[in-house]
Amino acid sequence: MSLTRHFKETIQARIERDPAFREALLKEGVECLLSGDVETGKAVLRDYINATIGFEELSGLTDKSPKSLMRMLGPHGNPQARNLFEIIGCLQAHEGLQLKVQAVR
């Protein structure tokens, strides 16, 4: 099921006005990837990118075409680990934060 335009606009508006929500969205995307939920992780990162940096600017930072980046994070995309970690690194730098892994039992 695809998201409605109203829902996407609501999320984008909140991302623009709420830095804590923006950081939580980035963190959630990475946590999904680390837990093995790759499809959700890619979708969250795609939404984060669309609402913040945009694929055009990310393209300039990664030297990859915007369309290639969109395909990587699309439903059928299968990005190489190198590309995925480069994207995450750029998003962290853009947001001005450093995510860290913490072991939890």
Side-chain angles (χ1 to χ4, degrees):
M1 174 166 47
S2 64
L3 298 177
T4 64
R5 172 172 280 201
H6 177 70
F7 180 78
K8 287 183 179 184
E9 290 171 354
T10 300
I11 295 297
Q12 182 150 359
R14 180 148 183 216
I15 285 172
E16 290 173 0
R17 74 173 187 276
D18 188 349
F21 181 74
R22 197 170 50 242
E23 289 179 16
L25 193 62
L26 178 56
K27 181 181 171 193
E28 180 68 21
V30 173
E31 285 178 349
C32 286
L33 292 170
L34 291 174
S35 70
D37 188 357
V38 177
E39 295 311 311
T40 302
K42 291 188 309 179
V44 171
L45 289 179
R46 189 173 56 248
D47 289 344
Y48 173 87
I49 292 165
N50 278 322
T52 58
I53 189 171
F55 281 98
E56 288 293 328
E57 187 174 339
L58 183 59
S59 170
L61 297 172
T62 61
D63 291 327
K64 292 171 182 45
S65 76
K67 287 185 179 185
S68 178
L69 292 167
M70 286 184 253
R71 275 193 304 273
M72 280 184 221
L73 297 176
H76 303 292
N78 189 16
Q80 292 181 357
R82 173 175 304 161
N83 293 330
L84 194 54
F85 290 128
E86 181 181 10
I87 291 167
I88 292 169
C90 288
L91 296 178
Q92 289 180 102
H94 181 265
E95 192 62 44
L97 64 91
Q98 181 71 38
L99 298 173
K100 293 187 179 192
V101 175
Q102 179 180 351
V104 177
R105 292 197 189 269

